[in-house]
Amino acid sequence: MEKFFLLLSLGFVTLVFMYFFLKPIYSLIKNLKTVKSYLPIALSIIMFCAVAYISLYFKFFKQPFVIEFTRTIEKLLQIMLMLLAIVAFLYVLIGFFGRRYTLRVDKFNIGGINILFDQSNEIFTKTVGTYIAAKRTLFNFDEVRDNIDQVLDAYYDSYKFIRNNLELLDSQKDAELYQLSVDIIKHLNDFLTKHQNDYRRWYDKIKDDDKIEVDSINIIVHSTTIENVQKHYYRYNELIPDIKDLNDFMKDIRIKEAFRISRFDWEE
């Protein structure tokens, strides 16, 4: 009977210890943000192992019933670890199907493969933010040096890139970012639908002919600046204000904050 109460006491002490030991670890894991947060967990595990190792030198812990109790606890811990592994696997699996997490091969290189494993909305924010930040004409069009044909390419590529990555977002959980991205797609689509076909047909024609007829005077395209060539487009005075309007929309502070654009790649 004495051994029974002793085992019961040891069991109670063990449960209390595990509660106070695992509770702060759970809180740390729940709020884990940086590598530094691993330090308290590692120190706690080291201290626990040290106490267990030192206790082996005490005569009391060499008693048969204590050894039996320790083996029982060991088996329970093994079962707990197995259950935790299964729960973690199911959590990640559900995260993939629920678009909470995404596994993506970023790029290949000589050293190996860079793999992104992050929340899906984080990957969307990083990839789209980095992509559009490199497209200067989305935010700032220069009438003197920018080729409108190439600007249209940049707008269309941006439209496709955002649209193709939109599947990473959940329309309900990421409602604000999702709607903002849809608005960008809509603005780009409206602009391209209005101007792309007409301008490209005109530009392809003058490139092939290498001339523009203006008041019975032939302007040689290849020997004229892009600024002067584009000014002869028959809808130029309509096209430029629409580009400026799109630039103003893209400069909205909501877009910079949503995609975490602190600076642009094209800025000096």
Side-chain angles (χ1 to χ4, degrees), residues 24 81 108 123 189 215:
L81 288 174
F108 292 89
I123 290 183
N189 183 61
D215 298 329

Side-chain angles (χ1 to χ4, degrees), residues 96-107:
F96 277 121
F97 285 105
R99 294 181 182 177
R100 183 173 182 179
Y101 294 99
T102 298
L103 181 64
R104 171 181 292 185
V105 176
D106 183 25
K107 60 182 179 180

Side-chain angles (χ1 to χ4, degrees), residues 164-185:
N164 292 341
N165 283 278
L166 198 61
E167 64 181 15
L168 292 172
L169 298 180
D170 187 298
S171 58
Q172 294 181 346
K173 294 179 182 178
D174 308 307
E176 187 174 350
L177 181 58
Y178 184 90
Q179 187 56 54
L180 182 60
S181 302
V182 169
D183 288 343
I184 295 174
I185 292 172

Side-chain angles (χ1 to χ4, degrees), residues 14 18 48 66-84:
T14 302
M18 288 180 67
F48 176 77
V66 176
I67 294 174
E68 183 180 351
F69 173 77
T70 305
R71 288 173 179 171
T72 303
I73 293 297
E74 182 182 358
K75 291 178 182 179
L76 288 174
L77 286 173
Q78 289 174 350
I79 294 172
M80 288 174 60
L81 288 174
M82 184 177 67
L83 290 175
L84 284 173

Side-chain angles (χ1 to χ4, degrees), residues 253-265:
I253 189 64
R254 293 180 305 146
I255 293 177
K256 292 188 70 174
E257 289 179 349
F259 293 100
R260 300 170 192 169
I261 303 174
S262 57
R263 68 180 299 278
F264 297 104
D265 293 352

Side-chain angles (χ1 to χ4, degrees), residues 16-255:
V16 171
F17 176 79
M18 288 180 67
Y19 172 78
F20 287 104
F21 174 72
L22 294 174
K23 187 177 180 181
I25 292 179
Y26 170 76
S27 299
L28 283 170
I29 294 175
K30 188 177 180 181
N31 301 304
L32 199 59
K33 291 183 179 179
T34 63
V35 177
K36 292 181 180 179
S37 300
Y38 283 109
L39 186 59
I41 297 176
L43 289 175
S44 299
I45 293 173
I46 292 172
M47 289 178 63
F48 176 77
C49 293
V51 170
Y53 181 77
I54 293 172
S55 64
L56 295 175
Y57 288 91
F58 290 95
K59 186 176 180 180
F60 170 78
F61 289 97
K62 294 180 180 179
Q63 298 294 327
F65 67 91
V66 176
I67 294 174
E68 183 180 351
F69 173 77
T70 305
R71 288 173 179 171
T72 303
I73 293 297
E74 182 182 358
K75 291 178 182 179
L76 288 174
L77 286 173
Q78 289 174 350
I79 294 172
M80 288 174 60
L81 288 174
M82 184 177 67
L83 290 175
L84 284 173
I86 293 173
V87 170
F89 174 75
L90 291 175
Y91 181 79
V92 172
L93 190 64
I94 293 171
F96 277 121
F97 285 105
R99 294 181 182 177
R100 183 173 182 179
Y101 294 99
T102 298
L103 181 64
R104 171 181 292 185
V105 176
D106 183 25
K107 60 182 179 180
F108 292 89
N109 54 45
I110 296 175
I113 304 173
N114 292 336
I115 297 178
L116 298 175
F117 177 67
D118 206 343
Q119 292 191 8
S120 298
N121 57 356
E122 283 293 317
I123 290 183
F124 179 84
T125 300
K126 293 174 185 176
T127 54
V128 173
T130 301
Y131 186 87
I132 65 175
K135 303 293 183 181
R136 176 182 58 79
T137 54
L138 281 173
F139 304 89
N140 183 24
F141 173 75
D142 189 335
E143 294 180 47
V144 175
R145 64 174 180 166
D146 287 334
N147 185 330
I148 295 175
D149 186 58
Q150 295 174 356
V151 171
L152 291 171
D153 287 340
Y155 288 4
Y156 182 67
D157 290 343
S158 300
Y159 164 79
K160 283 199 307 180
F161 188 84
I162 299 172
R163 185 191 62 186
N164 292 341
N165 283 278
L166 198 61
E167 64 181 15
L168 292 172
L169 298 180
D170 187 298
S171 58
Q172 294 181 346
K173 294 179 182 178
D174 308 307
E176 187 174 350
L177 181 58
Y178 184 90
Q179 187 56 54
L180 182 60
S181 302
V182 169
D183 288 343
I184 295 174
I185 292 172
K186 184 177 182 300
H187 276 75
L188 288 169
N189 183 61
D190 290 345
F191 177 87
L192 292 167
T193 301
K194 183 178 180 180
H195 292 292
Q196 182 172 224
N197 188 44
D198 286 346
Y199 185 85
R200 289 198 190 277
R201 285 190 297 109
W202 174 83
Y203 190 69
D204 289 342
K205 174 65 175 172
I206 65 168
K207 276 201 309 180
D208 292 340
D209 295 343
D210 197 27
K211 66 179 180 179
I212 305 173
E213 293 184 7
V214 180
D215 298 329
S216 300
I217 299 174
N218 289 333
I219 298 175
I220 306 303
V221 173
H222 76 267
S223 61
T224 307
T225 63
I226 192 63
E227 176 190 11
N228 289 328
V229 168
Q230 293 172 163
K231 283 183 177 180
H232 290 96
Y233 174 53
Y234 56 90
R235 293 179 63 191
Y236 183 80
N237 292 331
E238 182 183 352
L239 173 60
I240 297 303
D242 285 349
I243 292 178
K244 298 295 185 182
D245 288 344
L246 183 60
N247 287 165
D248 290 339
F249 170 75
M250 293 299 297
K251 289 176 183 176
D252 192 316
I253 189 64
R254 293 180 305 146
I255 293 177

